[in-house]
Amino acid sequence: MASFRPKYITFDCYGTLTFFQMAEAARDLYGSRLDEPRMQEFIKNFAAYRLDEILGDWKPYADVVHNALERACKRNGVVFNPDDAKMVYERVPTWGPHADVPAGLAKVAKEIPLVILSNAMNAQIMSNVEKLGAPFHAVYTAEQAQAYKPRFKAFEYMFDRLDCGPEDILHCSSSFRYDLMSAHDLGIKNKVWVNRGHEPANPYYGYVEISDISGLPGVVGL
């Protein structure tokens, strides 16, 4: 893939570029009420319910967080407070990048347009993007697409807006379940997995693995 120069490098934002701190928020809320094994189970359940909540018709991300947190509380015998969900949602735009992101992006951005496709709300995402330290050609959200990844509709919205096809991009994500599996099924042959430790490797889906964004310039020969 080192010889491949895409028209665009497209990115997942939360988790791949932005340090996604849902687990930390859950700990702040429930860490005093749950011992460590139960806290880890709660975090795992909360993540699973967030994914389940986005697989149907689009709804605001505040609703996704609210429903997923309520379901995780019910499963783990914790009293749910709607204000807790509101607090978690309102933290999202305060989150900044992983430490490796600004320098790695800045080097690539000089040569190739960068694009974000994020499971985000329009009112929140730009606060996160502004912290990434590099210019972006375009930022597309689930709210604009009216669909969350991993649904194909989100990717297809991006293709239409960029007037390009799957053969024209390099898609970069730390998640198979949200991004790379769908990218594979849609014919995006050039993919980068940023191994942030969220999920185990799955070579079936065909990608270059990097440990962080500092490795991205080398993937495209920079």
Side-chain angles (χ1 to χ4, degrees):
M1 192 187 296
S3 62
F4 175 67
R5 184 63 64 93
K7 290 183 179 178
Y8 303 99
I9 301 179
T10 59
F11 295 88
D12 165 63
C13 187
Y14 298 142
T16 301
L17 303 179
T18 295
F19 178 30
F20 195 61
Q21 298 176 59
M22 284 291 182
E24 288 77 5
R27 283 187 180 278
D28 289 345
L29 287 169
Y30 307 112
S32 64
R33 288 181 264 175
L34 299 171
D35 60 24
E36 184 56 25
R38 291 181 67 208
M39 190 71 246
Q40 290 183 13
E41 181 69 13
F42 186 99
I43 289 168
K44 182 177 74 172
N45 297 157
F46 184 30
Y49 285 132
R50 290 197 309 275
L51 176 61
D52 185 64
E53 284 288 331
I54 64 173
L55 295 178
D57 292 338
W58 182 87
K59 55 180 172 274
Y61 196 63
D63 294 352
V64 172
V65 173
H66 179 285
N67 295 349
L69 193 63
E70 185 174 23
R71 294 169 73 185
C73 285
K74 180 179 180 181
R75 181 165 174 175
N76 289 276
V78 176
V79 175
F80 172 70
N81 183 338
D83 288 339
D84 292 342
K86 185 172 184 288
M87 180 276 287
V88 173
Y89 174 73
E90 291 178 349
R91 280 192 183 187
V92 173
T94 71
W95 296 337
H98 291 281
D100 53 274
V101 166
L105 286 184
K107 186 172 182 179
V108 177
K110 295 175 182 178
E111 302 292 336
I112 304 170
L114 309 182
V115 175
I116 282 175
L117 178 64
S118 178
N119 281 354
M121 297 293 290
N122 298 341
Q124 290 193 328
I125 187 63
M126 293 314 297
S127 178
N128 304 108
V129 173
E130 289 164 0
K131 298 176 178 67
L132 297 178
F136 280 82
H137 172 78
V139 177
Y140 302 124
T141 68
E143 183 177 4
Q144 293 166 357
Q146 291 291 288
Y148 289 100
K149 299 175 299 177
R151 293 193 61 200
F152 292 177
K153 182 179 177 181
F155 289 90
E156 290 165 343
Y157 174 85
M158 178 179 69
F159 294 150
D160 289 344
R161 297 287 300 201
L162 293 174
D163 192 24
C164 75
E167 69 279 2
D168 297 319
I169 69 170
L170 170 65
H171 191 65
C172 182
S173 177
S174 60
S175 175
F176 291 96
R177 296 182 79 179
Y178 280 94
D179 282 85
L180 297 177
M181 293 167 71
S182 295
H184 173 272
D185 291 343
L186 285 166
I188 301 174
K189 297 187 181 303
N190 296 289
K191 299 179 290 296
V192 169
W193 177 46
V194 186
N195 185 357
R196 300 281 189 199
H198 307 321
E199 302 172 18
N202 195 331
Y204 172 81
Y205 291 101
Y207 52 83
V208 171
E209 178 181 345
I210 58 177
S211 60
D212 58 47
I213 297 299
S214 69
L216 184 60
V219 175
V220 290
L222 298 176

